[in-house]
Amino acid sequence: MGKIEDLATAYHRHVSAPWQRTLSGADRVMFVVYEKETERALRARVGEFEQATIRAGHAWKLINCSKWFSEWMARDEYREAYFETPDLLTMKLDREFKPEICQRLAAELEQADDNTVVALLGVASLYPFVRVSEVVHEVERAIRGRLVVFFPGTKNENVYRLLDARDGFNYMANGITLHSEGTNS
């Protein structure tokens, strides 16, 4: 089996365990952590995670956030000015983009019942505009079933690094990885 298949198997073991219904939103989050170089392979085989979820007796809802930034930017009347002077965009990202994507993801989570895995694909496209940890934290209250974040990067203990590109963040999500040293599998 390849890396993605092995990761799907590890995910299946995790999603098949009995779900406690009294967990907080933060405890309902799973990060499937994989090497950034395998992003295309994971996207091509994301159906294996869906099948693992269904075999475990849960529903599946895939959310692809890859186009969220470009869609948001395309609607902005001053987008050309931001392309000329990107530094002007910094405050707007925090004030408008982050709340919009948090609201969008929360709405998807609220539509799912307590037996549904909502899977978030494409978080690398949010870099460097927002931090994944901040988005997940903002939507925790809306998680009824489970939120699975497909995370191209690394995990060492509880420290996650997206794309190995920025300082890691400490998050208590259930990490699903292929490596057992310093990680959860």
Side-chain angles (χ1 to χ4, degrees), residues 164-176:
D164 306 328
R166 77 167 21 146
D167 290 341
F169 61 92
N170 191 339
Y171 196 76
M172 298 305 295
N174 296 294
I176 302 168

Side-chain angles (χ1 to χ4, degrees), residues 3-41:
K3 290 181 180 181
I4 301 304
E5 293 82 3
D6 291 343
L7 197 54
T9 299
Y11 166 78
H12 182 258
R13 281 192 305 268
H14 191 83
V15 79
S16 295
W19 286 11
Q20 295 178 347
R21 303 292 180 193
T22 58
L23 295 177
S24 69
D27 292 323
R28 294 171 183 249
V29 179
M30 296 177 268
F31 275 46
V32 174
V33 182
Y34 54 95
E35 297 169 345
K36 62 186 177 193
E37 296 82 10
T38 61
E39 176 74 17
R40 288 180 63 188

Side-chain angles (χ1 to χ4, degrees), residues 86-106:
D87 291 342
L88 297 175
L89 191 57
T90 304
M91 285 194 328
K92 190 171 182 78
L93 288 169
D94 207 37
R95 196 175 62 246
E96 294 179 26
F97 180 61
K98 185 172 84 172
E100 180 178 315
I101 65 170
C102 289
Q103 181 180 14
R104 192 170 177 175
L105 180 56

Side-chain angles (χ1 to χ4, degrees), residues 116-132:
T116 299
V117 171
V118 175
L120 184 62
L121 183 67
V123 297
S125 66
L126 301 177
Y127 176 82
F129 310 116
V130 296
R131 293 183 175 267
V132 174

